[in-house]
Amino acid sequence: MASTSTPSSSQYLQRSYFSPYNSLQKLKPSFHEKFPLHFSFFSPASSKSLIILRTNSPNTAKYNEIVVDDEMDRVRRLQNGSDVRGVAVEGEKGRAVDLTTPVAEAIAESFGEWVIKKLEEEKGRPVEDVKISLGRDPRISGASLSVGIFAGLARAGCMVFDMGLATTPACFMSTLLPPFSYDASIMMTASHLPYTRNGLKFFTKKGGLTSTEVEIICDLAARKYANRQAKVSTLLTPPTRVDFMSAYSNHLREIIKERVNHPVHYDSPLLGFQIVVNAGNGSGGFFTWDVLDKLGADTFGSINLQPDGMFPNHIPNPEDKVAMALTRAAVLENSADLGIVFDTDVDRSGVVDKEGNPINGDKLIALMSAIVLKEHPDSTIVTDARTSMALTKFITNRGGHHCLYRVGYRNVIDKGVELNKDGVEAHLMMETSGHGALKENYFLDDGAYMVVRIIIEMVRMKLEGSDEGIGSLIKDLEEPLESAELRMDVLSEPKHAKAKAIEVIETFKTYIEGGKLAGWELDSCGDCWVSDGCLVDATEAPTAIDAHMYRAKISDERHGEYGWLHIRQSIHNPNIAVNMQSTVPGGCQSITRALREKFLLASGMDSVVDTSEIDKYVGG
């Protein structure tokens, strides 16, 4: 394999020490105290950048500190839990572009340095030739941001490998599958968000980074960006192009062939099955021609396979009603055995059974639980705390255990890893959004792998003589009578929104503990205490909080326990999400009315959040 001539980390450090900025840093402290230096940078939207260096008198020192602080805050706010997300293209009303090429460069450089440091700590010696790959979805901002990422990784002293159009799971697998086996990887995607957005997901051989680790990287990047003279890099080291997706597709094909072990046509186990794919114009088209077609499946009727960064047909999201409706129509029109829906970067998926029934959310968790519990009947299934009481019943009826945990796919997956380390078998971790990970697959949330397991089960059922289809596995799953999700925007400047959201949610907890909401009680589940807001583990080393949230179970004299409400601080946007379910007619509306009148209005929190969705739902 060809390699780049990227300098080692030690060579880069020697070179960068003599940069203009570092030379200025060596000026005497007395000079800095008397004449603080400030750099004013113009947007790099054009091919030319204008750099102004000026010295300021002590009278403007405070102004300069504010400018630098604002720049740093903007970069830090790009952290989105364990990812980075921002606006990369103009087009959103009220939202300025904040994920620019120079910002991406600073983040990539910080990630590269972080990877090098971790490897040196592990090996106890300096490391060279650190290899990092980059994949991306088809968003229109991908090409320009790639330039910054390549430059940033090269600045850090890393060898860079360009995977081109790829999926998030493939990026992680590029750190494991030979002959690639990179030290780390970055996936450029903003999942199902609009074409104007983009983001970064980070991986090492150990898996995805935690929120705490991404926070460290973003903080380092914020400092680099605010203090850097030139916002456009002059370091242009071309990456090495690699075709990893072919190797990844072959990996998935081999799993299907081995698990099915077809007695007649081993190499084409999908002969006789029609499977339609809706890739949403994201990165998932490969699954049709490089996996299904090559295994003998008939994929006629598949839709939206060609990558298109404008996503012209619908939001590429298994939770999207349009995406599911179009897939359902394709299944019924073609009498297909299965329909598949991928999100943009293929770390999530949903399916449609042969009868045209959409399977996502709790239904997808139930389907995967049924498959996993056939092989591991005593397994614990870890989900977020928004799943239904009926799902718990479904899992326990099959001999499994249900662990409700905090919202956030990384939280759910990490909880499964923790349980396994503690000797509790947890083979499946899934969030209601469709993120799902299996112990057998490196605890990786891989939408394609989830579909692979469903396809394997479908073929096995056929070989065993069943014509019922995959949907029959969840026919006894009860559905909640009512469910709702509402949002409350935080009425604050972006930099204060997080603190304001926490204030609302903690006040909610105080109101319930004080008995101000009759019949409401903070819920709990085993050793994962929802009464601590799904925030605190009952262990000696609790996981750090990335978003505040609480779940309350709700009862009255007439019905007993009839529903629940989950309130949480959004990681993605400056708002608060409220989810609820009820087993009685009108239950969600009465729950919402109590939330508004006995909490939001009574506590004065209605002045902190926009309650218009709440008001509309209760009809006043």
Side-chain angles (χ1 to χ4, degrees), residues 462-515:
K462 189 76 170 180
L463 289 172
E464 292 168 1
S466 173
D467 289 319
E468 287 190 291
I470 204 75
S472 64
L473 294 178
I474 58 170
K475 60 185 176 182
D476 59 330
L477 174 68
E478 301 171 9
E479 294 191 49
L481 184 65
E482 294 182 351
S483 62
E485 177 175 327
L486 304 171
R487 297 271 175 169
M488 300 184 293
D489 289 334
V490 179
L491 304 174
S492 169
E493 294 180 35
K495 63 182 178 182
H496 300 308
K498 183 176 181 179
K500 289 292 183 181
I502 292 171
E503 179 187 355
V504 173
I505 292 166
E506 291 302 316
T507 304
F508 174 79
K509 177 189 179 185
T510 302
Y511 258 61
I512 293 181
E513 290 178 331

Side-chain angles (χ1 to χ4, degrees), residues 85-93 95-100 139-142 145 189-199 309-311:
R85 287 186 187 174
V87 179
V89 177
E90 291 183 359
E92 285 192 49
K93 186 177 180 180
R95 290 292 300 267
V97 172
D98 51 14
L99 183 55
T100 62
R139 291 171 188 276
I140 60 174
S141 57
L145 291 179
T189 181
S191 187
H192 62 282
L193 294 180
Y195 77 92
T196 53
R197 307 286 182 96
N198 216 325
M310 296 297 290
F311 310 119

Side-chain angles (χ1 to χ4, degrees), residues 322-388:
V322 175
M324 272 298 180
L326 290 174
T327 310
R328 179 178 185 274
V331 167
L332 294 176
E333 182 179 344
N334 295 281
S335 300
D337 298 285
L338 186 71
I340 299 167
V341 185
F342 287 127
D343 77 337
T344 315
D345 57 324
V346 197
D347 59 358
R348 294 186 298 138
S349 56
V351 297
V352 175
D353 71 11
K354 62 187 294 185
E355 306 297 331
N357 298 309
I359 301 177
N360 55 11
D362 278 10
K363 291 181 180 180
L364 184 61
I365 299 175
L367 177 58
M368 289 305 304
S369 297
I371 293 171
V372 167
L373 290 170
K374 279 187 176 182
E375 300 176 6
H376 309 283
D378 197 42
S379 178
T380 292
I381 309 298
V382 185
T383 74
D384 63 272
R386 297 171 298 177
T387 54
S388 68

Side-chain angles (χ1 to χ4, degrees), residues 365 369 379-385 387 391 395 401-406 409 411-420 424-432 435-437 528:
I365 299 175
S369 297
S379 178
T380 292
I381 309 298
V382 185
T383 74
D384 63 272
T387 54
L391 179 63
I395 291 170
H401 310 278
H402 188 191
C403 173
L404 291 159
Y405 197 54
R406 71 182 69 161
Y409 74 92
N411 293 327
V412 171
I413 294 172
D414 288 346
K415 185 61 180 178
V417 173
E418 177 193 318
L419 289 174
N420 279 284
V424 178
E425 279 201 9
H427 286 272
L428 174 66
M429 306 101 239
M430 283 200 77
E431 195 187 37
T432 50
H435 280 284
C528 312

Side-chain angles (χ1 to χ4, degrees), residues 209-248:
L209 269 60
T210 66
S211 296
T212 303
E213 290 168 334
V214 175
E215 182 179 359
I216 291 170
I217 290 167
C218 285
D219 183 68
L220 180 59
R223 297 175 187 276
K224 288 181 184 297
Y225 181 77
N227 290 320
R228 185 161 286 163
Q229 282 190 69
K231 297 298 190 186
V232 178
S233 176
T234 56
L235 187 62
L236 298 175
T237 304
T240 300
R241 290 298 303 269
V242 294
D243 179 16
F244 179 78
M245 290 304 295
S246 294
Y248 175 66

Side-chain angles (χ1 to χ4, degrees), residues 57 159 212 228 246 289 330 343-344 356 377 519 534 542 567 592 598 617:
S57 70
M159 299 175 64
T212 303
R228 185 161 286 163
S246 294
W289 46 72
D343 77 337
T344 315
C534 290
I567 183 170
T592 307
K598 297 182 179 180
Y617 188 74

